[in-house]
Amino acid sequence: MSSTNASSDLSSEMEVDAFRRLFPLRFHERHLLESTCPDAKNLGKARDTTLALGTVASADGSDLAKIGCTTTLAAIKMEVMTPTIESPDEGCIAIDFQMHPICSPIVRPGRPADAAPVISKQLSDTILSSGMIYFKELSLVNGKAAWIAYLDIYCLDADGTLFDDALLAAVAAFSHLQIPVVSLNGDGRVVVVSEKDGGKLKCEPINKGKRKLKLSSVSFSLTCILHKNYMLADLTAEEESIMKTLVTVDCIALTRQRVKELQKVLNEAIFEIEGD
């Protein structure tokens, strides 16, 4: 009797799996009618999100971010550069997002992932437009030396909401960033000071110790799918591939200091208008 039940259950599972493969959209729409996901998660509940700061010991700032199974690793390396003529008192950042075949079956070996440069551009645009980083804080010697932060983000598992997870990893890596100590050498060049060289410097360090990068705001995003009368968030890669209409909303959470600065600017503007 138990053998018959087991055989019946297996047959039923095979039928469900076959229906899911042959008619994926209808399969997911049936779950939408019951306000659930195929993994039994309620539509109003988000997948677990975790952050692990300092996961790369050799980096100046790093983080491992997970949203459900989607996993990205972000690492920052700081280097000294000559600032541009247009911005002699500012540093800069360079962002690169990479996807390898291990992260998704749609990424083929030997071929670059189509989504990688698109997400790289989205990340750069979002972080720059948010005003999250004071680039003047990355200046070392006006017109001669400044920091460039190389942010590399690696996708380890792509299971939906990839941009959201990559942005989360990037912001967390910047929040964990420790700017190295630098000093002037005998030729007047700015050099990074290692812990071993700390007691042998002929010149005073430009910054006495490692310091945190002050962030004026925190950027995050939410990717949703619009399908018929439904708006779904926190999607898996399967759901994204079936229901095509994706919408990503970028949000900015300002720090208290940034709010005060904006209030001051606004008050001054109001004062000038009233004076006129």
Side-chain angles (χ1 to χ4, degrees):
M1 186 69 176
S2 60
S3 177
T4 303
N5 291 337
S7 177
S8 177
D9 292 341
L10 180 60
S11 177
S12 178
E13 289 179 10
M14 292 177 64
E15 288 178 2
V16 171
D17 188 58
F19 181 77
R20 183 172 188 168
R21 291 174 181 274
L22 293 172
F23 309 101
L25 184 58
R26 288 177 59 189
F27 174 81
H28 282 274
E29 286 179 339
R30 283 190 176 185
H31 285 82
L32 290 178
L33 292 173
E34 299 176 2
S35 298
T36 61
C37 298
D39 59 2
K41 178 175 71 69
N42 189 285
L43 288 181
K45 185 178 180 181
R47 293 182 293 175
D48 291 338
T49 300
T50 59
L51 294 172
L53 297 174
T55 47
V56 182
S58 59
D60 297 308
S62 62
D63 172 73
L64 182 73
K66 295 189 67 175
I67 299 178
C69 292
T70 301
T71 309
T72 54
L73 175 66
I76 301 173
K77 288 294 289 186
M78 303 293 288
E79 290 189 9
V80 178
M81 67 162 194
T82 301
T84 62
I85 298 175
E86 295 79 9
S87 304
D89 60 344
E90 293 184 0
C92 66
I93 61 174
I95 299 175
D96 184 40
F97 179 83
Q98 298 183 30
M99 297 179 69
H100 299 285
I102 191 175
C103 76
S104 171
I106 65 172
V107 181
R108 302 297 298 275
R111 298 175 59 183
D114 294 336
V118 176
I119 293 179
S120 291
K121 181 70 165 55
Q122 280 184 296
L123 289 169
S124 296
D125 291 345
T126 301
I127 291 174
L128 292 175
S129 64
S130 69
M132 182 176 77
I133 297 171
Y134 286 118
F135 289 102
K136 292 184 184 296
E137 195 179 341
L138 297 177
S139 177
L140 292 169
V141 180
N142 196 326
K144 294 183 177 180
W147 287 112
I148 178 170
Y150 288 101
L151 170 61
D152 292 308
I153 304 176
Y154 304 92
C155 177
L156 305 181
D157 192 344
D159 188 28
T161 60
L162 187 52
F163 175 74
D164 299 350
D165 194 54
L167 181 60
L168 181 64
V171 173
F174 275 117
S175 71
H176 176 256
L177 176 63
Q178 295 278 338
I179 299 177
V181 179
V182 292
S183 177
L184 295 174
N185 64 9
D187 300 328
R189 296 177 58 189
V190 175
V191 294
V192 178
V193 179
S194 66
E195 295 181 0
K196 295 180 181 178
D197 297 332
K200 305 176 184 178
L201 295 176
K202 295 181 180 180
C203 301
E204 280 292 314
I206 295 176
N207 50 318
K208 298 291 185 180
K210 289 185 176 182
R211 62 185 176 89
K212 301 281 286 184
L213 178 66
K214 295 178 182 178
L215 302 180
S216 62
S217 61
V218 176
S219 299
F220 58 95
S221 65
L222 177 65
T223 299
C224 304
I225 276 184
L226 305 179
H227 181 71
K228 294 185 177 180
N229 296 327
Y230 298 94
M231 184 170 68
L232 312 174
D234 195 19
L235 304 150
T236 64
E238 181 184 9
E239 291 167 335
E240 287 183 349
S241 68
I242 296 169
M243 295 174 276
K244 302 290 185 179
T245 309
L246 285 175
V247 177
T248 298
V249 180
D250 295 329
C251 305
I252 301 173
L254 300 177
T255 61
R256 291 182 180 179
Q257 179 63 30
R258 184 60 173 161
V259 170
K260 290 180 180 179
E261 291 173 357
L262 291 175
Q263 287 175 337
K264 182 180 178 182
V265 172
L266 182 60
N267 290 335
E268 291 175 353
I270 293 173
F271 178 78
E272 290 178 1
I273 292 172
E274 291 178 345
D276 293 341

